[in-house]
Amino acid sequence: MNGELCDPVQTEAYFTRLFQHVDFAQGQLISLLGVGEKGTEREGIKPERQFLPPTSGAKIMECLRRWAEWHLASFAVPAVLHGSAAIAGDVKLDKVALMTAIILDIDSGDIAGKCAFVTDRLGKPSMTIASGGSTSEG
């Protein structure tokens, strides 16, 4: 496997930033979602969702590496979830204990212009992730 597909240092930095102000209670979870990247053979394939305790570092990395190998984008839901989310198998509002971030997925059109628009209205982002993917515009 190409180690560049899923960098543990960057992954830890991302999760630390995403959940930096959270004191997780017993039974609370995070959710990861693997979805087919635009323009790959896995585009449109049903996403794979994982519900994990926040202390599951090795399992988180295992999911992210597997999805990277499969050309799936990985998404961490920016929320702390009640344990009942895993039973339900989905993230719905009544399963959310706490939101931790606003995440925007800007992957079409004038990306630079859209980023400037959002920054003008919400302020400078605390983190920007460029996945390296390409849009239909290039």
Side-chain angles (χ1 to χ4, degrees):
M1 185 197 114
N2 180 347
E4 294 177 20
L5 292 176
C6 190
D7 182 325
V9 174
Q10 289 181 11
T11 301
E12 182 177 350
Y14 175 76
F15 279 92
T16 297
R17 176 64 63 101
L18 190 59
F19 296 109
Q20 66 185 329
H21 300 293
V22 177
D23 291 322
F24 284 93
Q26 181 70 28
Q28 289 182 329
L29 304 168
I30 63 171
S31 176
L32 303 178
L33 184 64
V35 296
E37 280 281 15
K38 197 182 261 186
T40 71
E41 67 275 1
R42 296 209 178 251
E43 181 178 357
I45 292 177
K46 186 175 190 251
E48 178 185 339
R49 183 177 297 280
Q50 293 286 322
F51 294 95
L52 301 167
T55 55
S56 303
K59 180 66 174 174
I60 290 169
M61 287 305 298
E62 175 189 319
C63 290
L64 298 179
R65 282 188 182 110
R66 183 177 72 247
W67 293 335
E69 290 171 353
W70 292 350
H71 303 287
L72 298 178
S74 302
F75 179 72
V77 177
V80 176
L81 307 173
H82 298 294
S84 59
I87 297 166
D90 202 358
V91 178
K92 301 288 185 196
L93 186 57
D94 64 330
K95 307 295 186 256
V96 175
L98 174 74
M99 293 298 297
T100 62
I102 298 171
I103 294 182
L104 302 173
D105 183 12
I106 303 173
D107 62 1
S108 65
D110 178 7
I111 294 172
K114 290 177 181 181
C115 288
F117 176 86
V118 172
T119 299
D120 184 53
R121 282 147 184 86
L122 297 178
K124 183 180 176 191
S126 58
M127 182 180 283
T128 300
I129 298 173
S131 68
S134 60
T135 66
S136 56
E137 291 84 15

